[in-house]
């Protein structure tokens, strides 16, 4: 289940990329996130501003690298860009693997319950 603060965008993480978000809010909106006014901002407003960040912000640039799929562009990535993209893709692959493992373990559990004559859990 997705937590309230989790992003629906698969190419950034609100916690891990917080420094990029801070820099991006400052660059695009002129908003300093360590002020009283910002701390009083409603979650809905924060999410709307975050969703509106452009490609020319620090977060936008990293998201562009992480999400790139064009082979020609990928062939011209610098070593640093490749490192950023690979680190993100490896992280996401581990998350999927953990979810798959949980799913398989749940299937085994249900199979053993069925074998023992128990009722399936929903």
């Amino acid at each position: 289940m997705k937590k309230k603060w989790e992003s629906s965008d698969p190419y950034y993480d609100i916690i891990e990329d917080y420094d990029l978000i801070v820099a991006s809010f400052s660059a695009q909106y002129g908003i300093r996130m360590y002020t009283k006014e910002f701390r009083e901002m409603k979650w809905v407003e924060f999410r709307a501003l975050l969703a509106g960040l452009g490609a020319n912000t620090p977060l936008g640039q990293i998201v562009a690298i992480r999400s790139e799929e064009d082979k020609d562009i990928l062939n011209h990535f610098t070593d640093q860009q490749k490192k950023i993209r690979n680190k993100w893709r490896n992280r996401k692959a581990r998350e999927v693997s953990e979810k798959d493992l949980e799913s398989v373990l749940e299937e085994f559990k249900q199979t053993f319950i069925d074998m023992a004559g128990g009722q399936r859990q929903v």
Side-chain angles (χ1 to χ4, degrees):
M1 181 163 138
K2 194 172 101 170
K3 295 176 182 72
K4 175 179 145 179
W5 49 264
E6 285 183 320
S7 165
S8 59
D9 187 317
Y11 297 106
Y12 70 87
D13 180 278
I14 291 177
I15 304 300
E16 184 176 316
D17 295 324
Y18 190 74
D19 289 340
L20 292 169
I21 294 168
V22 169
S24 297
F25 269 58
S26 179
Q28 183 163 320
Y29 304 120
I31 295 175
R32 296 184 60 216
M33 293 177 68
Y34 297 108
T35 63
K36 180 182 177 192
E37 291 78 23
F38 179 79
R39 287 192 304 271
E40 293 173 352
M41 182 184 291
K42 302 286 184 205
W43 176 246
V44 232
E45 183 180 2
F46 173 79
R47 283 191 355 223
L49 292 171
L50 182 60
L53 287 174
N56 60 340
T57 62
L59 181 64
Q61 292 168 359
I62 293 298
V63 166
I65 292 168
R66 290 174 178 169
S67 63
E68 187 58 63
E69 294 296 335
D70 184 296
K71 298 282 186 204
D72 292 331
I73 294 173
L74 291 172
N75 286 335
H76 292 93
F77 264 12
T78 65
D79 288 342
Q80 183 62 26
Q81 289 171 315
K82 289 175 187 174
K83 182 178 177 181
I84 290 167
R85 185 171 183 273
N86 290 337
K87 180 181 175 188
W88 185 257
R89 292 174 66 83
N90 289 337
R91 176 182 182 263
K92 297 311 270 184
R94 281 192 305 276
E95 287 176 9
V96 170
S97 297
E98 289 173 12
K99 290 176 187 173
D100 289 344
L101 176 61
E102 288 176 22
S103 176
V104 168
L105 290 175
E106 183 60 32
E107 288 178 36
F108 279 136
K109 175 183 165 185
Q110 291 302 326
T111 301
F112 287 124
I113 290 171
D114 291 345
M115 289 170 52
Q119 293 186 354
R120 255 198 180 302
Q121 295 180 352
V122 184

